[in-house]
Amino acid sequence: MIDPAELVDNLVALLRGIPELVAEMGGDEQRVFAYHDQYPKRSSLANAIHQMPAPSVMAVWQGTAPGSFGTAEVWKHQITLYLRARETFDGDPPTAYYRLFRLLTKGVPSSAGAPMLNATVHPSCHPMDLPLIQRQTDAEGLDYFEVPITFTEIGDD
């Protein structure tokens, strides 16, 4: 089994390599970042989500489960991207979250040469499964979106 922290860090690096996504972050690639659990400093994902700046994308490992790929038994790693869109103003098109989701799936990192849906994020994993996007609400009642992504290992490293 691979170290999921490597998978998260590789994913963040690829996302930072999408020029249009960085532009959506106000030109600041640091707004695309990883959350790694570190007790006791970082032991509340809810708090991390609440503190996310707008705009930003935070990548978080949610867990690993056994699965199958054809007839093979494999590990499936669940990574979630939490999204906060940039501030919009009167007259702006209501496309901020739609655009972010499109860039997370169809954006082309400069180092990969392929859209994220087909990109190799980790050499021991297949490209991401087709993700979904869903609305969530934080403790203050503010909406954000999350994109759960699954990566299936090619074998058992």
Side-chain angles (χ1 to χ4, degrees), residues 1-141:
M1 181 184 334
I2 66 168
D3 180 349
E6 289 178 23
L7 183 59
V8 171
D9 290 341
N10 290 0
L11 178 59
V12 167
L14 279 178
L15 293 174
R16 286 178 175 175
I18 302 171
E20 299 88 350
L21 182 60
V22 173
E24 285 293 312
M25 300 294 114
D28 184 358
E29 74 173 19
Q30 298 301 310
R31 294 230 174 182
V32 178
F33 59 96
Y35 173 88
H36 293 290
D37 295 284
Q38 294 177 320
Y39 185 81
K41 295 185 297 183
R42 288 183 162 189
S43 59
S44 173
L45 179 56
N47 190 40
I49 293 168
H50 177 70
Q51 293 178 352
M52 285 177 63
S56 63
V57 176
M58 180 172 63
V60 179
W61 173 63
Q62 296 287 22
T64 298
S68 61
F69 190 79
T71 59
E73 293 181 359
V74 295
W75 294 109
K76 292 186 173 257
H77 303 281
Q78 177 75 42
I79 309 293
T80 300
L81 300 176
Y82 293 92
L83 315 178
R84 290 238 191 244
R86 63 178 170 76
E87 182 178 358
T88 55
F89 302 98
D90 289 340
D92 287 350
T95 60
Y97 283 108
Y98 312 125
R99 181 162 170 73
L100 286 177
F101 185 60
R102 180 163 178 76
L103 290 169
L104 295 172
T105 56
K106 301 285 189 178
V108 178
S110 53
S111 64
M116 284 301 297
L117 281 173
N118 305 111
T120 299
V121 175
H122 191 284
S124 294
C125 291
H126 293 284
M128 72 173 80
D129 291 349
L130 199 59
L132 63 94
I133 184 169
Q134 55 196 10
R135 180 184 304 270
Q136 297 294 336
T137 305
D138 70 13
E140 289 186 352

